[in-house]
């Protein structure tokens, strides 16, 4: 019985030593291996984001594609193509012709969050919904 008690005490000491060394290792490694890309996108009618947003969705592109955006994979692909520069979305949309009226009924979009680890704050007003959908490469179609 005495041998068992010694072995148990020694086993407990070894277990605590192993846990302590593992805990030290876990804290010294980076918390994540990717730069996060998570955004909140909004749309509103009017000339500025000060007007109340009518719709809002979430879009997370890293490490996986998730969120409430109805076409999150396409939106993430479009943003990746322009390296997170929302102003470049119109350029990749040019290959998809869409005819819009010249009606002025402003639609404002915003994007707030993080793209590849960098803070994002974007706002743009389009002439109307059709132009927004045409030049936004699907990112603001929700």
């Amino acid at each position: 019985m005495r041998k068992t008690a010694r072995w148990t005490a020694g086993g407990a000491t070894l277990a605590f030593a192993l846990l302590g060394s593992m805990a030290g290792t876990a804290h010294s490694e980076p918390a994540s291996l990717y730069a996060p890309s998570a955004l909140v996108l909004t749309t509103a009618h009017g000339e500025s984001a000060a007007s109340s947003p009518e719709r809002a969705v979430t879009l997370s592109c890293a490490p996986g594609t998730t969120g409430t955006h109805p076409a999150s994979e396409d939106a993430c692909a479009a943003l990746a193509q322009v390296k997170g520069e929302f102003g470049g979305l119109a350029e990749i949309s040019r290959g998809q012709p869409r005819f819009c009226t010249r009606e002025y009924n402003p639609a404002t979009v915003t994007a707030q969050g993080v793209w590849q680890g960098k803070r994002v704050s974007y706002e743009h007003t389009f002439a109307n919904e059709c132009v927004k959908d045409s030049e936004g490469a699907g990112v603001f179609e929700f």
Side-chain angles (χ1 to χ4, degrees), residues 27 37 50 52 54 85 93 99 107 119 122 128 135 140:
H27 292 294
S37 293
S52 296
E54 294 174 355
E85 294 294 327
S93 296
F99 299 100
R119 182 87 173 99
Y122 173 80
N128 58 48
E135 294 183 6
F140 294 103

Side-chain angles (χ1 to χ4, degrees), residues 111-123:
Q112 303 289 325
V114 178
W115 180 260
Q116 294 184 344
K118 295 180 183 174
R119 182 87 173 99
V120 172
S121 182
Y122 173 80
E123 177 178 344

Side-chain angles (χ1 to χ4, degrees), residues 2-29:
R2 201 171 185 164
K3 269 188 171 176
T4 305
R6 282 187 191 156
W7 184 85
T8 303
T13 304
L14 179 62
F16 285 123
L18 286 173
L19 285 173
S21 68
M22 286 172 48
T25 303
H27 292 294
S28 65
E29 291 180 14

Side-chain angles (χ1 to χ4, degrees), residues 67-87:
T68 59
H69 193 289
S72 58
E73 288 184 18
D74 293 339
C76 287
L79 285 170
Q81 190 173 347
V82 296
K83 296 179 173 86
E85 294 294 327
F86 286 87

Side-chain angles (χ1 to χ4, degrees), residues 13-133:
T13 304
L14 179 62
F16 285 123
L18 286 173
L19 285 173
S21 68
M22 286 172 48
T25 303
H27 292 294
S28 65
E29 291 180 14
S32 69
L33 300 175
Y34 66 91
S37 293
L39 303 164
V40 174
L41 308 172
T42 67
T43 62
H45 281 90
E47 294 184 359
S48 75
S51 55
S52 296
E54 294 174 355
R55 292 184 180 198
V57 297
T58 58
L59 179 64
S60 180
C61 299
T65 305
T66 61
T68 59
H69 193 289
S72 58
E73 288 184 18
D74 293 339
C76 287
L79 285 170
Q81 190 173 347
V82 296
K83 296 179 173 86
E85 294 294 327
F86 286 87
L89 292 173
E91 290 302 316
I92 64 172
S93 296
R94 300 225 191 277
Q96 306 162 4
R98 188 181 280 185
F99 299 100
C100 298
T101 64
R102 290 184 174 229
E103 168 191 20
Y104 186 72
N105 186 10
T108 300
V109 298
T110 65
Q112 303 289 325
V114 178
W115 180 260
Q116 294 184 344
K118 295 180 183 174
R119 182 87 173 99
V120 172
S121 182
Y122 173 80
E123 177 178 344
H124 185 76
T125 301
F126 295 94
N128 58 48
E129 286 284 322
C130 180
V131 175
K132 171 188 72 84
D133 294 344

